[in-house]
Amino acid sequence: MTRSEHIPIKNIYYMLAYAFKHLRLLEYKNLDTEEFGDKIENMYAAILSMSIGRQIKQGLYKEYIERIEDLQTLRGKINMPGTMRNKIANRQQLSCEFAELSENNIYNRILKTASMLLIKSGEVGKEYKEPLKKEMLYFSDVDDIPDPKNISWSSIRFHRNNQAYQMMLEFCRLVFERLLPSEESGNRRMPKLDDERRLCYLYEKFILGYYQEYSKIHNPHFTASAPQIEWALDEGSSNGLPGMYTDVTLSRGDNVLIIDAKFYEHAAQTHYNNVTPHSSNLYQIFTYVKNKEAKFSDT
């Protein structure tokens, strides 16, 4: 795989689509290739804008938000401490607790915060900022997140009503990692390694998702999965040994093909003018294959 700056925008989008099983994207199939030069931030802005625009047409996700507010008439249930404070202060208001269906939830707040970060960034070209600015008009009732570093990503849950947000929030996470100041230097540009690590993950999930979809539609006789391979040891425990998790394993009966996906700026290494594959990658796939072969021999 080549470096991210030269990947066509539609390829990145489809990688994300397969990675998160959000495949009904026919309106993007004719999307032209765009050249972003050395500005990966432009690519992030373009893809995030495209995704948000699509979501705006469908409607921003809403969920019930708990609120406490002083009102003239009762709504929901009375909040006694707040009502008592109003009475002591001679305010003729009830403190009410109620749930309100709102767009101002964590999902839309992340979208707005990432978009505003791109809009304010000097790394993003004007032509990529303008669509985001127009889309942010639909987020007037949505708050920014003061410190995106404190977002608890593991607590965010997706379900049928907000599944489309999974892909968008993954891109927002890429934006935060790219543009937020690093603790080490205060520089707003994160190391390129972070981008490649995130895109490598997406690349792996794209390949897995592609084969899963292909087997489901075109060839149900084989299965695509990403299982763990057990260590084939003569004796003793595998405790302390690293886990062997395949990126993609294609299986049909006793026939198994193991695919190990790699995302590099340079696919090969050079040593004394000799161009060879990365030796660690060869050792890794060799270990996978030999341990899997040994397990078959035992059955």
Side-chain angles (χ1 to χ4, degrees):
M1 193 71 186
T2 57
R3 62 185 298 180
S4 52
E5 286 87 346
H6 301 306
I7 302 173
I9 184 174
K10 63 179 180 181
N11 289 3
I12 290 285
Y13 201 88
Y14 288 145
M15 278 169 58
L16 280 165
Y18 274 106
F20 296 110
K21 311 290 180 65
H22 190 64
L23 300 170
R24 286 193 280 268
L25 301 172
L26 296 180
E27 62 267 42
Y28 297 117
K29 70 178 182 179
N30 294 321
L31 184 65
D32 291 334
T33 297
E34 296 193 27
E35 294 293 338
F36 296 102
D38 61 352
K39 296 290 187 181
I40 194 173
E41 294 83 1
N42 287 338
M43 184 187 73
Y44 289 170
I47 296 178
L48 190 58
S49 173
M50 179 171 56
S51 304
I52 291 175
R54 183 174 184 272
Q55 189 61 45
I56 288 173
K57 292 178 181 179
Q58 297 178 349
L60 297 180
Y61 172 67
K62 296 181 180 181
E63 64 182 10
Y64 283 99
I65 306 294
E66 294 293 333
R67 296 185 58 184
I68 299 178
E69 191 173 327
D70 292 336
L71 302 172
Q72 295 293 336
T73 57
L74 178 63
R75 181 178 180 183
K77 62 180 181 180
I78 294 177
N79 175 267
M80 290 305 300
T83 300
M84 292 300 295
R85 284 195 297 270
N86 289 340
K87 189 172 182 63
I88 293 172
N90 291 321
R91 290 196 295 264
Q92 302 301 312
Q93 290 181 316
L94 296 172
S95 179
C96 302
E97 297 180 23
F98 57 93
E100 185 175 61
L101 195 61
S102 172
E103 297 171 348
N104 192 22
N105 51 63
I106 186 61
Y107 305 91
N108 291 320
R109 292 183 69 197
I110 290 175
L111 288 183
K112 182 174 183 178
T113 303
S115 298
M116 295 306 298
L117 195 60
L118 288 165
I119 290 170
K120 296 175 182 177
S121 173
E123 303 292 337
V124 179
K126 181 179 178 181
E127 66 271 31
Y128 299 105
K129 290 182 179 181
E130 291 304 318
L132 280 174
K133 288 180 180 179
K134 294 177 182 178
E135 289 159 357
M136 286 303 100
L137 297 175
Y138 293 88
F139 287 73
S140 57
D141 294 329
V142 178
D143 296 331
D144 288 321
I145 297 175
D147 189 356
K149 293 179 182 177
N150 294 330
I151 295 174
S152 178
W153 296 99
S154 60
S155 66
I156 297 175
R157 297 289 180 264
F158 299 97
H159 48 76
R160 184 176 62 182
N161 294 333
N162 65 10
Q163 192 64 41
Y165 276 73
Q166 186 172 5
M167 186 165 60
M168 292 188 290
L169 295 199
E170 183 65 27
F171 243 102
C172 290
R173 197 170 180 178
L174 282 169
V175 170
F176 295 145
E177 291 182 358
R178 180 75 180 187
L179 293 179
L180 289 178
S182 64
E183 294 180 359
E184 292 79 9
S185 64
N187 194 325
R188 295 192 67 84
R189 178 181 288 273
M190 299 295 286
K192 184 163 64 68
L193 177 62
D194 287 346
D195 298 308
E196 292 193 352
R197 185 182 297 116
R198 301 291 299 172
L199 289 171
C200 179
Y201 169 80
L202 294 176
Y203 184 51
E204 294 170 5
K205 297 305 178 186
F206 157 69
I207 295 175
L208 175 61
Y210 173 82
Y211 278 112
Q212 286 177 332
E213 197 69 17
Y214 182 87
S215 65
K216 187 189 308 180
I217 297 175
H218 300 290
N219 195 337
H221 300 295
F222 78 85
T223 60
S225 60
Q228 181 180 5
I229 298 176
E230 297 180 9
W231 287 93
L233 304 175
D234 293 332
E235 58 182 20
S237 171
S238 61
N239 291 340
L241 293 174
M244 291 188 289
Y245 297 93
T246 62
D247 296 334
V248 183
T249 298
L250 306 180
S251 303
R252 180 178 180 180
D254 291 336
N255 296 316
V256 175
L257 175 64
I258 298 174
I259 300 175
D260 194 51
K262 297 298 181 186
F263 185 101
Y264 287 119
E265 180 176 348
H266 302 290
Q269 61 185 1
T270 303
H271 185 67
Y272 293 113
N273 294 324
N274 292 323
V275 179
T276 61
H278 293 277
S279 57
S280 59
N281 296 342
L282 295 178
Y283 295 146
Q284 182 181 11
I285 195 67
F286 180 79
T287 304
Y288 287 176
V289 171
K290 298 306 290 184
N291 280 272
K292 187 67 175 179
E293 182 183 41
K295 284 296 180 183
F296 274 122
S297 300
D298 293 339
T299 57

